[in-house]
């Protein structure tokens, strides 16, 4: 059974979705860069080992990344899952976990990498928004995509209502992506593309606003 380590910085709702999904893997530890991350308490309540590596204790990114990697490696994970982890990781760190490092981002990448995704989507007036689970590569929020979920943007939406609609989908697609990885049904191939033995399912399209 594969071992996974989850990295968080805050609320931890995606981490909680993973803990509650009964994944075919062992969740070896949850690590935060902030001691006050709410998700740490949720992890402890699930009996998961936790650790804090405070980024503020390190002079630069390289030394923080090294300390974080040392803590991660103690748990010998097969997959390292970023779940609302709010530090940018250096190229050396990303290379060390090539093919094993996964992130969820609250937009339909490659649209809206970075922060404030929901605000920017509303400003642009897009009609469809969503979330993306992807392998992490050195370019921020640009790695090979495993799964995406799309939601309609409603006229009355605020960044908060749109974020909530996207977050519901995050909690569905992240456990699915990690399940595929744990079962070797999805992997990163030698050309840095996502390979999968999953059948793609034709489904209905999302048209927003709806057709008459
Ligand atoms: C999520 O929207 C995730 O996509 C983004 O940060 C947020 C984390 O939320 N990377 P939570 O800590 O999982 O509740």
């Amino acid at each position: 059974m594969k071992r996974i380590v989850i990295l968080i910085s805050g609320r931890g709702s995606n981490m909680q979705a993973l803990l509650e999904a009964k994944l075919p893997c062992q969740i070896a530890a949850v690590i935060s860069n902030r001691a006050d991350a709410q998700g740490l308490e949720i992890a402890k309540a699930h009996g998961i080992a936790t650790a804090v590596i405070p980024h503020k204790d390190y002079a630069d990114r390289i030394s923080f990344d090294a300390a974080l990697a040392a803590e991660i490696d103690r748990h010998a994970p097969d997959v390292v899952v970023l779940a609302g982890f709010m530090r940018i990781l250096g190229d050396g760190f990303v290379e060390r976990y090539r093919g094993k490092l996964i992130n969820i981002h609250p937009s339909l990448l490659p649209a809206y990498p970075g922060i404030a995704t929901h605000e920017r989507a509303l400003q642009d007036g897009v009609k469809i928004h969503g979330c993306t689970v992807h392998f992490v590569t050195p370019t921020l929020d640009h790695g090979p995509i495993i799964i995406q979920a799309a939601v309609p943007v409603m006229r009355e939406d605020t960044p908060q209502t749109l974020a909530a609609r996207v977050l519901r989908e995050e909690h569905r697609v992240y456990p699915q992506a990690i399940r595929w990885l744990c079962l070797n049904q999805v992997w990163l191939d030698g050309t840095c593309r996502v390979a999968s033995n999953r059948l793609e399912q034709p489904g209905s399209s999302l048209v927003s606003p709806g057709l008459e």
Side-chain angles (χ1 to χ4, degrees), residues 11-14 83-84 104-106 167 170:
R11 180 177 59 183
S13 71
N14 276 289
I104 188 158
H105 183 76
L167 190 65
E170 294 185 37

PDB file of all heavy atoms in Angstrom, residues 11-14 83-84 104-106 167 170, ligand 1:
ATOM      1  N   ARG A  11      -6.825  25.951   6.722  1.00  0.00           N
ATOM      2  CA  ARG A  11      -8.104  25.325   7.063  1.00  0.00           C
ATOM      3  C   ARG A  11      -8.110  23.807   6.933  1.00  0.00           C
ATOM      4  O   ARG A  11      -8.680  23.099   7.756  1.00  0.00           O
ATOM      5  CB  ARG A  11      -9.129  25.956   6.106  1.00  0.00           C
ATOM      6  CG  ARG A  11     -10.528  25.521   6.222  1.00  0.00           C
ATOM      7  CD  ARG A  11     -11.366  26.320   5.250  1.00  0.00           C
ATOM      8  NE  ARG A  11     -10.905  26.145   3.858  1.00  0.00           N
ATOM      9  CZ  ARG A  11     -11.424  26.778   2.819  1.00  0.00           C
ATOM     10  NH1 ARG A  11     -12.402  27.641   2.981  1.00  0.00           N
ATOM     11  NH2 ARG A  11     -10.958  26.558   1.602  1.00  0.00           N
ATOM     12  N   GLY A  12      -7.561  23.304   5.869  1.00  0.00           N
ATOM     13  CA  GLY A  12      -7.418  21.854   5.741  1.00  0.00           C
ATOM     14  C   GLY A  12      -8.653  21.113   5.283  1.00  0.00           C
ATOM     15  O   GLY A  12      -8.782  19.909   5.528  1.00  0.00           O
ATOM     16  N   SER A  13      -9.561  21.792   4.557  1.00  0.00           N
ATOM     17  CA  SER A  13     -10.778  21.069   4.153  1.00  0.00           C
ATOM     18  C   SER A  13     -10.481  20.029   3.064  1.00  0.00           C
ATOM     19  O   SER A  13     -11.103  18.957   3.045  1.00  0.00           O
ATOM     20  CB  SER A  13     -11.867  22.043   3.700  1.00  0.00           C
ATOM     21  OG  SER A  13     -11.548  22.625   2.461  1.00  0.00           O
ATOM     22  N   ASN A  14      -9.537  20.316   2.182  1.00  0.00           N
ATOM     23  CA  ASN A  14      -9.170  19.289   1.193  1.00  0.00           C
ATOM     24  C   ASN A  14      -8.481  18.115   1.864  1.00  0.00           C
ATOM     25  O   ASN A  14      -8.725  16.956   1.517  1.00  0.00           O
ATOM     26  CB  ASN A  14      -8.282  19.897   0.102  1.00  0.00           C
ATOM     27  CG  ASN A  14      -9.097  20.561  -0.978  1.00  0.00           C
ATOM     28  OD1 ASN A  14      -9.758  19.888  -1.759  1.00  0.00           O
ATOM     29  ND2 ASN A  14      -9.086  21.883  -1.001  1.00  0.00           N
ATOM     30  N   ALA A  83      -2.160  20.421  -0.117  1.00  0.00           N
ATOM     31  CA  ALA A  83      -3.590  20.677   0.099  1.00  0.00           C
ATOM     32  C   ALA A  83      -3.725  22.034   0.787  1.00  0.00           C
ATOM     33  O   ALA A  83      -3.804  22.123   2.001  1.00  0.00           O
ATOM     34  CB  ALA A  83      -4.220  19.562   0.925  1.00  0.00           C
ATOM     35  N   GLY A  84      -3.693  23.094  -0.033  1.00  0.00           N
ATOM     36  CA  GLY A  84      -3.722  24.431   0.540  1.00  0.00           C
ATOM     37  C   GLY A  84      -2.403  24.780   1.201  1.00  0.00           C
ATOM     38  O   GLY A  84      -2.372  25.496   2.203  1.00  0.00           O
ATOM     39  N   ILE A 104      -3.648  20.857  -5.762  1.00  0.00           N
ATOM     40  CA  ILE A 104      -4.978  21.250  -6.253  1.00  0.00           C
ATOM     41  C   ILE A 104      -5.009  22.760  -6.315  1.00  0.00           C
ATOM     42  O   ILE A 104      -4.514  23.439  -5.411  1.00  0.00           O
ATOM     43  CB  ILE A 104      -6.128  20.691  -5.386  1.00  0.00           C
ATOM     44  CG1 ILE A 104      -7.467  20.975  -6.055  1.00  0.00           C
ATOM     45  CG2 ILE A 104      -6.086  21.227  -3.955  1.00  0.00           C
ATOM     46  CD1 ILE A 104      -8.594  20.068  -5.632  1.00  0.00           C
ATOM     47  N   HIS A 105      -5.565  23.269  -7.409  1.00  0.00           N
ATOM     48  CA  HIS A 105      -5.588  24.711  -7.633  1.00  0.00           C
ATOM     49  C   HIS A 105      -7.029  25.133  -7.951  1.00  0.00           C
ATOM     50  O   HIS A 105      -7.704  24.473  -8.753  1.00  0.00           O
ATOM     51  CB  HIS A 105      -4.656  25.071  -8.792  1.00  0.00           C
ATOM     52  CG  HIS A 105      -4.579  26.537  -9.028  1.00  0.00           C
ATOM     53  ND1 HIS A 105      -3.854  27.383  -8.212  1.00  0.00           N
ATOM     54  CD2 HIS A 105      -5.164  27.333  -9.957  1.00  0.00           C
ATOM     55  CE1 HIS A 105      -3.987  28.623  -8.635  1.00  0.00           C
ATOM     56  NE2 HIS A 105      -4.781  28.612  -9.695  1.00  0.00           N
ATOM     57  N   PRO A 106      -7.486  26.250  -7.360  1.00  0.00           N
ATOM     58  CA  PRO A 106      -8.894  26.641  -7.545  1.00  0.00           C
ATOM     59  C   PRO A 106      -9.145  27.449  -8.811  1.00  0.00           C
ATOM     60  O   PRO A 106      -9.641  28.578  -8.762  1.00  0.00           O
ATOM     61  CB  PRO A 106      -9.186  27.446  -6.276  1.00  0.00           C
ATOM     62  CG  PRO A 106      -7.878  28.056  -5.913  1.00  0.00           C
ATOM     63  CD  PRO A 106      -6.817  27.079  -6.344  1.00  0.00           C
ATOM     64  N   LEU A 167     -15.058  24.823  -4.222  1.00  0.00           N
ATOM     65  CA  LEU A 167     -14.492  23.986  -3.150  1.00  0.00           C
ATOM     66  C   LEU A 167     -15.234  22.651  -3.031  1.00  0.00           C
ATOM     67  O   LEU A 167     -14.623  21.612  -2.782  1.00  0.00           O
ATOM     68  CB  LEU A 167     -14.529  24.745  -1.815  1.00  0.00           C
ATOM     69  CG  LEU A 167     -13.753  24.103  -0.659  1.00  0.00           C
ATOM     70  CD1 LEU A 167     -12.247  24.088  -0.949  1.00  0.00           C
ATOM     71  CD2 LEU A 167     -14.011  24.851   0.654  1.00  0.00           C
ATOM     72  N   GLU A 170     -13.655  20.552  -5.451  1.00  0.00           N
ATOM     73  CA  GLU A 170     -12.296  20.172  -5.023  1.00  0.00           C
ATOM     74  C   GLU A 170     -12.365  18.928  -4.141  1.00  0.00           C
ATOM     75  O   GLU A 170     -11.552  18.012  -4.261  1.00  0.00           O
ATOM     76  CB  GLU A 170     -11.635  21.322  -4.243  1.00  0.00           C
ATOM     77  CG  GLU A 170     -11.371  22.553  -5.082  1.00  0.00           C
ATOM     78  CD  GLU A 170     -10.595  23.622  -4.314  1.00  0.00           C
ATOM     79  OE1 GLU A 170      -9.709  23.278  -3.519  1.00  0.00           O
ATOM     80  OE2 GLU A 170     -10.889  24.816  -4.511  1.00  0.00           O
TER      81      GLU A 170
HETATM   82  C1  LIG B   1      -8.197  25.413  -1.812  1.00  0.00           C
HETATM   83  O1  LIG B   1      -9.068  26.244  -2.515  1.00  0.00           O
HETATM   84  C2  LIG B   1      -7.112  24.891  -2.718  1.00  0.00           C
HETATM   85  O2  LIG B   1      -7.543  24.710  -4.029  1.00  0.00           O
HETATM   86  C3  LIG B   1      -6.078  25.985  -2.660  1.00  0.00           C
HETATM   87  O3  LIG B   1      -6.114  26.440  -1.327  1.00  0.00           O
HETATM   88  C4  LIG B   1      -7.387  26.178  -0.753  1.00  0.00           C
HETATM   89  C5  LIG B   1      -7.138  25.357   0.465  1.00  0.00           C
HETATM   90  O4  LIG B   1      -8.298  25.124   1.217  1.00  0.00           O
HETATM   91  N1  LIG B   1      -4.794  25.485  -3.089  1.00  0.00           N
HETATM   92  P1  LIG B   1      -8.281  24.011   2.363  1.00  0.00           P
HETATM   93  O5  LIG B   1      -7.141  24.386   3.317  1.00  0.00           O
HETATM   94  O6  LIG B   1      -8.053  22.696   1.706  1.00  0.00           O
HETATM   95  O7  LIG B   1      -9.611  24.123   3.014  1.00  0.00           O
END
